[in-house]
Amino acid sequence: MRIDGQCHCGFVTYEAEIDPDDVAICHCTDCQQLTGSAYRVTAGTARENFRLTGGEPKLYVKTAENGRKRLQFFCPNCGSPVYTTGTDEDADEVGIRLGTINQRRALCPKSQIWRSSSLPWIHDVGTLPGHERD
C-alpha cells in the first residue's frame, strides 16, 4: 500500500510503500514515555520503501537494556514522533508512526507486543462514555 504523511506542523514529510498487515501496537514503557500515551502504533516497512520528501527530522538515540540502539526521528519544530529505525541488523526496517500517516484510517493493528507492560485499563476504553466531538 502506498502511503504518505507528515508531522503535525508539516515540516517533515515522507512517502512509503507498506504492507497493511505489518501494523502493530507496542505497550512497552519506552513507547509509553516517548508518546506520552498508553501505547504506540507503528507501520513497518523496509528502509528502501521509505523516503523523506520534506524537512530533515531531529534524531534521538535510545539505547535499550540489551544494548541495541533505536533511532527515534521526530520533527524539530513541533516535536511529533515520525519514524524509528535501528542500527546493525535493525537498520533495514523503518517503523512509521501511525498518527503521521495520511491513510491511517485504512490501517488496523494486526498484533501487539510488550503486553506485559500494557496499562490495566487499556482493554476497557471502548466501554467509556464519550462524545463524537469535543
Side-chain angles (χ1 to χ4, degrees):
M1 174 180 180
R2 188 144 196 75
I3 62 164
D4 60 351
Q6 67 281 320
C7 63
H8 190 262
C9 74
F11 176 74
V12 178
T13 59
Y14 62 85
E15 57 187 25
E17 185 75 28
I18 67 164
D19 178 350
D21 289 334
D22 192 10
V23 177
I25 294 172
C26 181
H27 295 279
C28 79
T29 55
D30 281 344
C31 283
Q32 290 171 2
Q33 289 181 314
L34 286 163
T35 62
S37 187
Y39 55 84
R40 182 178 301 218
V41 183
T42 301
T45 192
R47 178 176 286 286
E48 64 264 16
N49 294 334
F50 177 82
R51 183 173 73 89
L52 287 172
T53 58
E56 193 67 31
K58 189 166 174 67
L59 169 63
Y60 166 69
V61 179
K62 166 66 174 134
T63 303
E65 289 179 20
N66 64 7
R68 293 167 71 177
K69 295 185 186 320
R70 291 300 303 165
L71 286 63
Q72 307 287 336
F73 291 92
F74 60 96
C75 176
N77 297 328
C78 68
S80 298
V82 180
Y83 68 99
T84 186
T85 189
T87 59
D88 303 322
E89 69 271 12
D90 299 323
D92 293 334
E93 180 78 14
V94 173
I96 305 165
R97 303 315 183 195
L98 184 76
T100 68
I101 299 172
N102 290 330
Q103 299 80 10
R104 62 187 168 267
R105 292 189 62 83
L107 299 170
C108 181
K110 303 294 186 192
S111 64
Q112 300 179 67
I113 58 172
W114 285 101
R115 290 185 59 187
S116 61
S117 300
S118 67
L119 298 178
W121 51 262
I122 198 69
H123 300 290
D124 300 326
V125 171
T127 64
L128 295 174
H131 307 277
E132 293 302 313
R133 299 184 70 103
D134 185 20

